[in-house]
Structures are given as structure tokens and as C-alpha cells.
Amino acid sequence: MMMHRSCLLHLFPLFLVSAIAMATDDGGALLEDPLATGRPGSDSTAPLFLEEPEDAYVVKSKAGTLSCRAAHALQLYFVCNGEAVRTKHHSAHEFVDPMTGIRQLEVKIDISRNDVEEYFGLDGYGCECIAWSSFGQVKSRRAKVIVAFS
């Protein structure tokens, strides 16, 4: 009986190797990045938004907050009404998702009542999040910031 177990333990690595070979015969990888958007076989992937900014309201003296989160981005920043927002207005965080090991960037911005009231464009005050990497640049949806009158 001992010899039988010993033989099985020696054969297990061969079984495992053949199981991996069968699983990858279709050309796919066993542990593929679920967020990968790049070309097959490429180390680069385009940025991918995990959270896009939503419309916000400025209530009395409380600023409206927009947030954005992206994977595979080297830079993440807001553009409001066609102009990049200065870094001092951003709150930026970088972290690695413990489940996937993928680096993520998150940025938040507070828009004041003065910011909204000083803008006179026809399309209203709005901001987009820009995610940039060496693979390319991606723009989020445009979020409107509106002054709520109470």
C-alpha cells in the first residue's frame, strides 16, 4: 500500500502538467487578467474605468464631489469645462487590489458653488476624468455639477 501511494505522489506532477496543458490548448492562459484590454501577447493594456464620475449637486456651502477610479492607468485627473484641474484640488490615491494584484488609481475633486456660478457656458458646468497610460488615453463620461437651490 505504501508503494502504491508513493507512485501516485510521483505521478501527480505529471497529471498536473497535463491538466495545465489541456486547459491551455485553446491558446488562453489559466490565470488571465480579467481587466486586460490590450492586444493579445502585449504587456500593455489600455486604462479601464472601474468608476466614472456621476452628476453632483452643490448644496448651500457644501461642495459637490466627483470621483473616478481606473485600472492600468499611469495618470488619472479631471478636466472641467475643457481645462485640466490643478493638482491641489485633487485627492488622489493609489492602491493594489488584493484579489487581482492590479494597480488602481482613484481621484476625487470637490467643486464649489463659486466654481459653478462663475462658469457661463451653455452646456453647464461639467467634468470628465482622463485616464492615461503609455498604451493610450481614455475619457470618462461627462458629469454635470449643478447648484441645488433650497
Short mmCIF file of all heavy atoms in Angstrom, two decimals, residues 35-95:
data_model
loop_
_atom_site.label_atom_id
_atom_site.label_comp_id
_atom_site.label_asym_id
_atom_site.label_seq_id
_atom_site.Cartn_x
_atom_site.Cartn_y
_atom_site.Cartn_z
N LEU A 35 -9.27 42.26 -16.33
CA LEU A 35 -9.40 43.65 -16.74
C LEU A 35 -8.54 44.00 -17.94
O LEU A 35 -8.49 45.14 -18.35
CB LEU A 35 -9.04 44.57 -15.57
CG LEU A 35 -9.91 44.42 -14.32
CD1 LEU A 35 -9.38 45.31 -13.22
CD2 LEU A 35 -11.35 44.71 -14.62
N ALA A 36 -7.84 43.02 -18.49
CA ALA A 36 -6.94 43.30 -19.61
C ALA A 36 -7.72 43.74 -20.82
O ALA A 36 -8.72 43.15 -21.17
CB ALA A 36 -6.11 42.06 -19.94
N THR A 37 -7.24 44.81 -21.45
CA THR A 37 -7.91 45.30 -22.66
C THR A 37 -6.91 45.53 -23.78
O THR A 37 -7.26 46.09 -24.80
CB THR A 37 -8.63 46.63 -22.37
OG1 THR A 37 -7.68 47.55 -21.86
CG2 THR A 37 -9.76 46.44 -21.38
N GLY A 38 -5.69 45.12 -23.59
CA GLY A 38 -4.65 45.34 -24.59
C GLY A 38 -4.64 44.28 -25.67
O GLY A 38 -5.48 43.39 -25.72
N ARG A 39 -3.68 44.39 -26.54
CA ARG A 39 -3.55 43.41 -27.61
C ARG A 39 -3.08 42.09 -27.03
O ARG A 39 -2.29 42.06 -26.09
CB ARG A 39 -2.54 43.93 -28.63
CG ARG A 39 -2.99 45.18 -29.34
CD ARG A 39 -1.94 45.61 -30.34
NE ARG A 39 -0.71 46.02 -29.69
CZ ARG A 39 -0.39 47.28 -29.46
NH1 ARG A 39 -1.18 48.24 -29.82
NH2 ARG A 39 0.74 47.59 -28.86
N PRO A 40 -3.54 40.96 -27.58
CA PRO A 40 -3.08 39.67 -27.09
C PRO A 40 -1.56 39.57 -27.22
O PRO A 40 -1.00 39.98 -28.22
CB PRO A 40 -3.76 38.66 -28.01
CG PRO A 40 -4.94 39.39 -28.57
CD PRO A 40 -4.54 40.84 -28.63
N GLY A 41 -0.92 39.07 -26.18
CA GLY A 41 0.52 38.92 -26.19
C GLY A 41 1.26 40.19 -25.84
O GLY A 41 2.47 40.22 -25.78
N SER A 42 0.54 41.29 -25.60
CA SER A 42 1.16 42.56 -25.27
C SER A 42 1.17 42.74 -23.76
O SER A 42 0.26 42.33 -23.07
CB SER A 42 0.37 43.70 -25.92
OG SER A 42 0.80 44.94 -25.43
N ASP A 43 2.23 43.37 -23.25
CA ASP A 43 2.29 43.68 -21.83
C ASP A 43 1.49 44.93 -21.50
O ASP A 43 1.19 45.18 -20.34
CB ASP A 43 3.74 43.88 -21.39
CG ASP A 43 4.50 42.57 -21.40
OD1 ASP A 43 3.86 41.50 -21.33
OD2 ASP A 43 5.74 42.62 -21.51
N SER A 44 1.16 45.73 -22.48
CA SER A 44 0.44 46.98 -22.26
C SER A 44 -1.05 46.76 -22.34
O SER A 44 -1.53 45.98 -23.15
CB SER A 44 0.84 48.02 -23.31
OG SER A 44 2.20 48.30 -23.24
N THR A 45 -1.76 47.47 -21.49
CA THR A 45 -3.21 47.45 -21.54
C THR A 45 -3.70 48.88 -21.44
O THR A 45 -3.11 49.71 -20.74
CB THR A 45 -3.82 46.61 -20.40
OG1 THR A 45 -3.34 47.11 -19.17
CG2 THR A 45 -3.46 45.15 -20.55
N ALA A 46 -4.78 49.17 -22.11
CA ALA A 46 -5.37 50.50 -22.06
C ALA A 46 -6.01 50.71 -20.69
O ALA A 46 -6.46 49.76 -20.07
CB ALA A 46 -6.41 50.64 -23.17
N PRO A 47 -6.06 51.94 -20.23
CA PRO A 47 -6.74 52.21 -18.97
C PRO A 47 -8.21 51.78 -19.05
O PRO A 47 -8.83 51.85 -20.11
CB PRO A 47 -6.64 53.73 -18.81
CG PRO A 47 -5.48 54.12 -19.66
CD PRO A 47 -5.48 53.14 -20.80
N LEU A 48 -8.73 51.36 -17.92
CA LEU A 48 -10.11 50.88 -17.84
C LEU A 48 -10.76 51.53 -16.64
O LEU A 48 -10.26 51.41 -15.51
CB LEU A 48 -10.13 49.36 -17.69
CG LEU A 48 -11.48 48.72 -17.49
CD1 LEU A 48 -12.33 48.84 -18.77
CD2 LEU A 48 -11.33 47.26 -17.11
N PHE A 49 -11.89 52.23 -16.88
CA PHE A 49 -12.59 52.87 -15.77
C PHE A 49 -13.35 51.82 -14.96
O PHE A 49 -14.11 51.02 -15.50
CB PHE A 49 -13.57 53.93 -16.27
CG PHE A 49 -12.89 55.20 -16.70
CD1 PHE A 49 -12.83 55.54 -18.03
CD2 PHE A 49 -12.29 56.02 -15.76
CE1 PHE A 49 -12.18 56.69 -18.43
CE2 PHE A 49 -11.65 57.18 -16.15
CZ PHE A 49 -11.59 57.51 -17.48
N LEU A 50 -13.13 51.85 -13.65
CA LEU A 50 -13.86 51.00 -12.72
C LEU A 50 -14.98 51.79 -12.07
O LEU A 50 -15.96 51.23 -11.61
CB LEU A 50 -12.91 50.44 -11.65
CG LEU A 50 -11.72 49.66 -12.21
CD1 LEU A 50 -10.77 49.28 -11.10
CD2 LEU A 50 -12.19 48.41 -12.95
N GLU A 51 -14.81 53.12 -12.04
CA GLU A 51 -15.84 54.04 -11.54
C GLU A 51 -15.71 55.33 -12.33
O GLU A 51 -14.63 55.92 -12.40
CB GLU A 51 -15.63 54.31 -10.05
CG GLU A 51 -16.59 55.31 -9.48
CD GLU A 51 -16.26 55.69 -8.04
OE1 GLU A 51 -15.42 55.04 -7.41
OE2 GLU A 51 -16.85 56.67 -7.56
N GLU A 52 -16.81 55.76 -12.93
CA GLU A 52 -16.82 57.02 -13.66
C GLU A 52 -17.55 58.06 -12.83
O GLU A 52 -18.40 57.72 -12.00
CB GLU A 52 -17.50 56.85 -15.02
CG GLU A 52 -16.71 55.96 -15.96
CD GLU A 52 -17.20 56.02 -17.39
OE1 GLU A 52 -17.45 57.14 -17.89
OE2 GLU A 52 -17.34 54.95 -18.00
N PRO A 53 -17.25 59.35 -13.03
CA PRO A 53 -17.91 60.39 -12.23
C PRO A 53 -19.41 60.44 -12.53
O PRO A 53 -19.84 60.28 -13.68
CB PRO A 53 -17.21 61.67 -12.66
CG PRO A 53 -16.55 61.36 -13.95
CD PRO A 53 -16.30 59.89 -13.99
N GLU A 54 -20.18 60.65 -11.47
CA GLU A 54 -21.63 60.80 -11.57
C GLU A 54 -22.00 62.27 -11.36
O GLU A 54 -21.25 63.01 -10.70
CB GLU A 54 -22.32 59.94 -10.49
CG GLU A 54 -22.10 58.45 -10.64
CD GLU A 54 -22.82 57.85 -11.83
OE1 GLU A 54 -23.90 58.38 -12.21
OE2 GLU A 54 -22.31 56.88 -12.41
N ASP A 55 -23.14 62.68 -11.89
CA ASP A 55 -23.61 64.05 -11.70
C ASP A 55 -23.67 64.36 -10.20
O ASP A 55 -23.98 63.49 -9.39
CB ASP A 55 -24.98 64.25 -12.32
CG ASP A 55 -24.96 64.10 -13.84
OD1 ASP A 55 -23.87 64.11 -14.43
OD2 ASP A 55 -26.04 63.98 -14.44
N ALA A 56 -23.35 65.61 -9.85
CA ALA A 56 -23.32 66.01 -8.44
C ALA A 56 -24.03 67.34 -8.25
O ALA A 56 -24.21 68.10 -9.20
CB ALA A 56 -21.88 66.10 -7.95
N TYR A 57 -24.42 67.59 -7.01
CA TYR A 57 -25.09 68.84 -6.65
C TYR A 57 -24.30 69.56 -5.57
O TYR A 57 -23.76 68.94 -4.66
CB TYR A 57 -26.51 68.56 -6.12
CG TYR A 57 -27.42 68.01 -7.19
CD1 TYR A 57 -27.55 66.64 -7.37
CD2 TYR A 57 -28.13 68.86 -8.03
CE1 TYR A 57 -28.38 66.13 -8.36
CE2 TYR A 57 -28.95 68.36 -9.02
CZ TYR A 57 -29.06 67.00 -9.19
OH TYR A 57 -29.87 66.50 -10.16
N VAL A 58 -24.25 70.90 -5.71
CA VAL A 58 -23.67 71.74 -4.68
C VAL A 58 -24.84 72.25 -3.87
O VAL A 58 -25.77 72.85 -4.41
CB VAL A 58 -22.89 72.93 -5.31
CG1 VAL A 58 -22.36 73.85 -4.23
CG2 VAL A 58 -21.77 72.42 -6.20
N VAL A 59 -24.85 71.96 -2.57
CA VAL A 59 -25.95 72.35 -1.70
C VAL A 59 -25.43 73.37 -0.70
O VAL A 59 -24.52 73.07 0.09
CB VAL A 59 -26.53 71.13 -0.95
CG1 VAL A 59 -27.68 71.54 -0.06
CG2 VAL A 59 -26.94 70.06 -1.94
N LYS A 60 -25.99 74.58 -0.75
CA LYS A 60 -25.56 75.70 0.11
C LYS A 60 -24.04 75.84 0.03
O LYS A 60 -23.50 76.09 -1.03
CB LYS A 60 -26.06 75.52 1.53
CG LYS A 60 -27.57 75.60 1.61
CD LYS A 60 -28.05 75.54 3.03
CE LYS A 60 -29.58 75.63 3.02
NZ LYS A 60 -30.14 75.59 4.35
N SER A 61 -23.33 75.66 1.15
CA SER A 61 -21.88 75.82 1.13
C SER A 61 -21.15 74.49 1.02
O SER A 61 -19.93 74.44 1.11
CB SER A 61 -21.42 76.55 2.39
OG SER A 61 -21.76 75.79 3.53
N LYS A 62 -21.87 73.39 0.82
CA LYS A 62 -21.24 72.06 0.71
C LYS A 62 -20.90 71.79 -0.77
O LYS A 62 -21.78 71.80 -1.63
CB LYS A 62 -22.18 70.98 1.23
CG LYS A 62 -21.55 69.61 1.23
CD LYS A 62 -22.50 68.58 1.86
CE LYS A 62 -21.86 67.23 1.90
NZ LYS A 62 -22.07 66.46 0.70
N ALA A 63 -19.63 71.56 -1.03
CA ALA A 63 -19.16 71.33 -2.41
C ALA A 63 -19.70 70.01 -2.96
O ALA A 63 -20.00 69.08 -2.21
CB ALA A 63 -17.64 71.31 -2.44
N GLY A 64 -19.79 69.93 -4.25
CA GLY A 64 -20.14 68.68 -4.93
C GLY A 64 -18.86 67.89 -5.17
O GLY A 64 -17.84 68.46 -5.56
N THR A 65 -18.89 66.60 -4.89
CA THR A 65 -17.70 65.77 -5.05
C THR A 65 -17.86 64.81 -6.21
O THR A 65 -18.86 64.11 -6.31
CB THR A 65 -17.42 64.96 -3.75
OG1 THR A 65 -17.25 65.87 -2.67
CG2 THR A 65 -16.17 64.12 -3.89
N LEU A 66 -16.85 64.78 -7.08
CA LEU A 66 -16.80 63.84 -8.18
C LEU A 66 -15.66 62.87 -7.91
O LEU A 66 -14.61 63.27 -7.43
CB LEU A 66 -16.55 64.56 -9.51
CG LEU A 66 -17.56 65.62 -9.93
CD1 LEU A 66 -17.12 66.28 -11.22
CD2 LEU A 66 -18.95 65.00 -10.09
N SER A 67 -15.89 61.61 -8.23
CA SER A 67 -14.82 60.62 -8.04
C SER A 67 -14.69 59.74 -9.27
O SER A 67 -15.64 59.57 -10.04
CB SER A 67 -15.06 59.78 -6.79
OG SER A 67 -16.25 59.04 -6.91
N CYS A 68 -13.51 59.20 -9.42
CA CYS A 68 -13.18 58.40 -10.58
C CYS A 68 -12.13 57.38 -10.16
O CYS A 68 -11.23 57.69 -9.37
CB CYS A 68 -12.63 59.33 -11.65
SG CYS A 68 -12.12 58.55 -13.16
N ARG A 69 -12.23 56.15 -10.69
CA ARG A 69 -11.26 55.10 -10.37
C ARG A 69 -10.97 54.32 -11.65
O ARG A 69 -11.88 54.00 -12.40
CB ARG A 69 -11.83 54.18 -9.29
CG ARG A 69 -10.84 53.19 -8.74
CD ARG A 69 -11.34 52.51 -7.47
NE ARG A 69 -12.72 52.13 -7.52
CZ ARG A 69 -13.15 50.88 -7.72
NH1 ARG A 69 -12.27 49.91 -7.88
NH2 ARG A 69 -14.43 50.61 -7.75
N ALA A 70 -9.69 54.01 -11.86
CA ALA A 70 -9.30 53.30 -13.08
C ALA A 70 -8.17 52.31 -12.79
O ALA A 70 -7.36 52.51 -11.89
CB ALA A 70 -8.84 54.30 -14.15
N ALA A 71 -8.15 51.25 -13.59
CA ALA A 71 -7.07 50.27 -13.56
C ALA A 71 -6.20 50.49 -14.79
O ALA A 71 -6.68 51.02 -15.80
CB ALA A 71 -7.64 48.85 -13.56
N HIS A 72 -4.95 50.08 -14.70
CA HIS A 72 -3.98 50.15 -15.81
C HIS A 72 -3.68 51.58 -16.24
O HIS A 72 -3.30 51.81 -17.39
CB HIS A 72 -4.47 49.35 -17.03
CG HIS A 72 -4.81 47.94 -16.72
ND1 HIS A 72 -3.89 47.03 -16.27
CD2 HIS A 72 -6.00 47.28 -16.79
CE1 HIS A 72 -4.48 45.87 -16.08
NE2 HIS A 72 -5.75 45.99 -16.38
N ALA A 73 -3.86 52.56 -15.34
CA ALA A 73 -3.58 53.96 -15.67
C ALA A 73 -2.31 54.40 -14.96
O ALA A 73 -2.07 54.03 -13.82
CB ALA A 73 -4.75 54.85 -15.27
N LEU A 74 -1.50 55.20 -15.65
CA LEU A 74 -0.33 55.80 -15.03
C LEU A 74 -0.67 57.15 -14.42
O LEU A 74 -0.07 57.57 -13.44
CB LEU A 74 0.80 55.96 -16.06
CG LEU A 74 1.35 54.66 -16.64
CD1 LEU A 74 2.36 54.96 -17.72
CD2 LEU A 74 1.95 53.80 -15.54
N GLN A 75 -1.65 57.84 -15.03
CA GLN A 75 -2.13 59.13 -14.54
C GLN A 75 -3.64 59.14 -14.61
O GLN A 75 -4.24 58.57 -15.53
CB GLN A 75 -1.60 60.28 -15.37
CG GLN A 75 -0.14 60.57 -15.20
CD GLN A 75 0.27 61.79 -16.00
OE1 GLN A 75 -0.39 62.19 -16.95
NE2 GLN A 75 1.38 62.39 -15.61
N LEU A 76 -4.24 59.83 -13.64
CA LEU A 76 -5.70 59.97 -13.60
C LEU A 76 -5.98 61.38 -13.08
O LEU A 76 -5.47 61.78 -12.03
CB LEU A 76 -6.27 58.92 -12.64
CG LEU A 76 -7.77 58.74 -12.60
CD1 LEU A 76 -8.29 58.24 -13.95
CD2 LEU A 76 -8.16 57.75 -11.51
N TYR A 77 -6.74 62.17 -13.85
CA TYR A 77 -7.01 63.54 -13.46
C TYR A 77 -8.32 64.01 -14.07
O TYR A 77 -8.86 63.38 -14.98
CB TYR A 77 -5.85 64.47 -13.88
CG TYR A 77 -5.57 64.47 -15.37
CD1 TYR A 77 -6.15 65.42 -16.21
CD2 TYR A 77 -4.73 63.52 -15.93
CE1 TYR A 77 -5.88 65.41 -17.57
CE2 TYR A 77 -4.46 63.51 -17.29
CZ TYR A 77 -5.04 64.46 -18.10
OH TYR A 77 -4.79 64.44 -19.44
N PHE A 78 -8.83 65.13 -13.56
CA PHE A 78 -10.08 65.70 -14.05
C PHE A 78 -9.82 66.86 -14.99
O PHE A 78 -8.88 67.63 -14.81
CB PHE A 78 -10.94 66.20 -12.89
CG PHE A 78 -11.78 65.12 -12.27
CD1 PHE A 78 -11.39 64.53 -11.09
CD2 PHE A 78 -12.95 64.71 -12.88
CE1 PHE A 78 -12.17 63.54 -10.50
CE2 PHE A 78 -13.73 63.72 -12.31
CZ PHE A 78 -13.34 63.13 -11.11
N VAL A 79 -10.71 66.98 -15.97
CA VAL A 79 -10.77 68.13 -16.86
C VAL A 79 -12.18 68.68 -16.72
O VAL A 79 -13.16 67.97 -16.96
CB VAL A 79 -10.48 67.73 -18.33
CG1 VAL A 79 -10.77 68.89 -19.26
CG2 VAL A 79 -9.06 67.25 -18.49
N CYS A 80 -12.28 69.94 -16.29
CA CYS A 80 -13.58 70.57 -16.12
C CYS A 80 -13.71 71.71 -17.12
O CYS A 80 -12.85 72.58 -17.19
CB CYS A 80 -13.74 71.09 -14.70
SG CYS A 80 -13.74 69.79 -13.45
N ASN A 81 -14.76 71.66 -17.90
CA ASN A 81 -15.05 72.67 -18.91
C ASN A 81 -13.86 72.89 -19.84
O ASN A 81 -13.52 74.00 -20.20
CB ASN A 81 -15.48 73.98 -18.27
CG ASN A 81 -16.65 73.77 -17.35
OD1 ASN A 81 -17.59 73.06 -17.69
ND2 ASN A 81 -16.59 74.35 -16.18
N GLY A 82 -13.19 71.81 -20.21
CA GLY A 82 -12.09 71.86 -21.17
C GLY A 82 -10.74 72.20 -20.59
O GLY A 82 -9.76 72.27 -21.32
N GLU A 83 -10.65 72.46 -19.27
CA GLU A 83 -9.38 72.83 -18.65
C GLU A 83 -9.00 71.81 -17.58
O GLU A 83 -9.82 71.42 -16.76
CB GLU A 83 -9.48 74.20 -18.00
CG GLU A 83 -9.66 75.33 -19.00
CD GLU A 83 -9.67 76.69 -18.33
OE1 GLU A 83 -9.06 76.84 -17.25
OE2 GLU A 83 -10.29 77.60 -18.90
N ALA A 84 -7.73 71.38 -17.60
CA ALA A 84 -7.24 70.45 -16.59
C ALA A 84 -7.31 71.12 -15.22
O ALA A 84 -6.97 72.29 -15.08
CB ALA A 84 -5.81 70.02 -16.89
N VAL A 85 -7.78 70.37 -14.25
CA VAL A 85 -7.89 70.90 -12.89
C VAL A 85 -6.54 70.76 -12.22
O VAL A 85 -5.89 69.72 -12.31
CB VAL A 85 -8.98 70.13 -12.11
CG1 VAL A 85 -9.05 70.61 -10.67
CG2 VAL A 85 -10.32 70.27 -12.80
N ARG A 86 -6.11 71.81 -11.54
CA ARG A 86 -4.81 71.80 -10.86
C ARG A 86 -4.76 70.70 -9.81
O ARG A 86 -5.75 70.36 -9.17
CB ARG A 86 -4.55 73.15 -10.23
CG ARG A 86 -4.31 74.23 -11.27
CD ARG A 86 -4.03 75.51 -10.56
NE ARG A 86 -5.24 75.88 -9.82
CZ ARG A 86 -5.78 77.08 -9.83
NH1 ARG A 86 -5.23 78.02 -10.52
NH2 ARG A 86 -6.87 77.34 -9.15
N THR A 87 -3.58 70.19 -9.61
CA THR A 87 -3.35 69.08 -8.68
C THR A 87 -3.80 69.40 -7.26
O THR A 87 -4.27 68.52 -6.56
CB THR A 87 -1.85 68.72 -8.67
OG1 THR A 87 -1.44 68.52 -10.02
CG2 THR A 87 -1.60 67.45 -7.89
N LYS A 88 -3.71 70.64 -6.83
CA LYS A 88 -4.06 70.96 -5.45
C LYS A 88 -5.55 70.74 -5.16
O LYS A 88 -5.94 70.64 -4.01
CB LYS A 88 -3.64 72.39 -5.09
CG LYS A 88 -4.45 73.47 -5.76
CD LYS A 88 -3.99 74.84 -5.30
CE LYS A 88 -4.88 75.92 -5.87
NZ LYS A 88 -4.53 77.23 -5.36
N HIS A 89 -6.38 70.67 -6.18
CA HIS A 89 -7.81 70.44 -5.97
C HIS A 89 -8.17 68.95 -5.99
O HIS A 89 -9.30 68.58 -5.74
CB HIS A 89 -8.63 71.17 -7.04
CG HIS A 89 -8.51 72.66 -6.96
ND1 HIS A 89 -9.00 73.39 -5.91
CD2 HIS A 89 -7.94 73.54 -7.80
CE1 HIS A 89 -8.75 74.67 -6.12
NE2 HIS A 89 -8.10 74.79 -7.25
N HIS A 90 -7.21 68.11 -6.33
CA HIS A 90 -7.44 66.67 -6.40
C HIS A 90 -7.11 65.99 -5.07
O HIS A 90 -6.24 66.42 -4.35
CB HIS A 90 -6.54 66.01 -7.45
CG HIS A 90 -7.01 66.17 -8.85
ND1 HIS A 90 -6.49 67.12 -9.68
CD2 HIS A 90 -7.93 65.51 -9.57
CE1 HIS A 90 -7.08 67.03 -10.86
NE2 HIS A 90 -7.97 66.06 -10.81
N SER A 91 -7.80 64.91 -4.83
CA SER A 91 -7.44 63.99 -3.75
C SER A 91 -7.17 62.67 -4.46
O SER A 91 -8.10 62.05 -5.00
CB SER A 91 -8.59 63.86 -2.77
OG SER A 91 -8.41 62.75 -1.94
N ALA A 92 -5.92 62.25 -4.53
CA ALA A 92 -5.56 61.06 -5.32
C ALA A 92 -5.04 59.95 -4.42
O ALA A 92 -4.34 60.21 -3.43
CB ALA A 92 -4.51 61.43 -6.36
N HIS A 93 -5.41 58.71 -4.77
CA HIS A 93 -4.96 57.54 -4.04
C HIS A 93 -4.55 56.47 -5.03
O HIS A 93 -5.15 56.33 -6.09
CB HIS A 93 -6.07 56.99 -3.14
CG HIS A 93 -6.56 57.97 -2.13
ND1 HIS A 93 -5.86 58.28 -1.00
CD2 HIS A 93 -7.68 58.73 -2.11
CE1 HIS A 93 -6.53 59.19 -0.32
NE2 HIS A 93 -7.63 59.48 -0.97
N GLU A 94 -3.54 55.71 -4.66
CA GLU A 94 -3.06 54.60 -5.47
C GLU A 94 -3.05 53.36 -4.58
O GLU A 94 -2.64 53.42 -3.43
CB GLU A 94 -1.64 54.90 -5.96
CG GLU A 94 -1.03 53.78 -6.76
CD GLU A 94 0.40 54.13 -7.18
OE1 GLU A 94 0.76 55.32 -7.25
OE2 GLU A 94 1.15 53.18 -7.44
N PHE A 95 -3.56 52.25 -5.11
CA PHE A 95 -3.55 51.00 -4.34
C PHE A 95 -3.55 49.81 -5.27
O PHE A 95 -3.82 49.94 -6.47
CB PHE A 95 -4.73 50.94 -3.36
CG PHE A 95 -6.08 51.07 -4.01
CD1 PHE A 95 -6.82 49.96 -4.36
CD2 PHE A 95 -6.61 52.32 -4.28
CE1 PHE A 95 -8.05 50.08 -4.96
CE2 PHE A 95 -7.86 52.46 -4.88
CZ PHE A 95 -8.57 51.32 -5.22
#
